[in-house]
Amino acid sequence: MNNSVLIALPLLACIILSPVSKADTVQSSINHAIKMSSFNLSSQKWKNRVLLVFAASADNHIYQQQMQLLQKHNNGFADRDLVLVQVLATNESYANRQLIDESSAAKLRDSFGIDKENFRVILVGKDGGVKRSDATPVQPTAIFEEIDAMPMRQQEMQERRRK
């Protein structure tokens, strides 16, 4: 018999007889692949504007309406240094599509006084101040117009025109 076959047979037997199931391996891979990070609003100050969308879950009808409205405006978000943070009560909160931990989501709810069951859209400026707060879905154009009227945004647009 070939030496490589002699080495491969015991390895194959170990793999086949291993008590770890495929499901365990897949679950382990999923847990490793899903990285939760913390999100701190103060770390965004003077760098980004933040649009917070609070809802009970991704299944919430009003939340889905809001997300459909926002989904078509990625360029508008990037152009205005706007970070989207979705704060859901179901341990599925995201900052720019990256999963954030529940303690970060809870801190955001607490700091804005938003109950887990309530829907709210809050725009936070680069200075860390609340610029608008809505209890119903809001058109991205309305958010963009509000941002574009801000003195800091006016200055950013002038600087970009010069370049």
Side-chain angles (χ1 to χ4, degrees):
M1 239 193 228
N2 187 332
N3 281 344
S4 59
V5 172
L6 290 175
I7 294 170
L9 283 175
L11 287 173
L12 184 60
C14 286
I15 292 169
I16 292 170
L17 298 174
S18 172
V20 177
S21 71
K22 285 182 185 176
D24 290 339
T25 304
V26 169
Q27 187 60 47
S28 173
S29 297
I30 290 170
N31 289 341
H32 183 69
I34 298 174
K35 279 185 164 179
M36 283 195 190
S37 62
S38 62
F39 179 83
N40 186 340
L41 193 58
S42 63
S43 70
Q44 302 299 309
K45 196 170 183 178
W46 305 117
K47 295 179 198 170
N48 294 303
R49 296 170 183 91
V50 180
L51 186 66
L52 298 153
V53 180
F54 293 90
S57 75
D59 296 331
N60 179 285
H61 177 68
I62 298 171
Y63 170 78
Q64 288 176 356
Q65 280 182 321
Q66 182 64 68
M67 296 315 295
Q68 284 176 350
L69 291 170
L70 297 175
Q71 160 175 51
K72 302 169 189 164
H73 295 275
N74 288 335
N75 291 342
F77 272 73
D79 191 43
R80 291 168 180 83
D81 303 325
L82 186 58
V83 172
L84 175 62
V85 179
Q86 299 149 264
V87 184
L88 305 175
T90 57
N91 297 336
E92 298 175 34
S93 298
Y94 298 88
N96 270 358
R97 297 185 181 129
Q98 182 170 357
L99 199 59
I100 60 172
D101 60 30
E102 179 53 31
S103 67
S104 296
K107 285 177 189 171
L108 288 168
R109 277 192 296 275
D110 289 346
S111 62
F112 291 97
I114 309 296
D115 186 67
K116 284 187 172 189
E117 299 303 313
N118 290 343
F119 174 84
R120 186 72 43 109
V121 178
I122 297 175
L123 174 62
V124 178
K126 284 188 175 182
D127 63 357
V130 173
K131 305 305 178 187
R132 77 177 289 152
S133 178
D134 297 277
T136 58
V138 100
Q139 289 289 337
T141 51
I143 294 166
F144 295 162
E145 286 171 5
E146 183 125 5
I147 291 170
D148 291 346
M150 295 175 185
M152 190 179 296
R153 173 67 177 151
Q154 293 285 317
Q155 187 178 14
E156 292 168 359
M157 290 188 296
Q158 286 175 355
E159 288 173 12
R160 287 182 186 163
R161 275 187 229 128
R162 286 186 213 138
K163 291 181 182 180

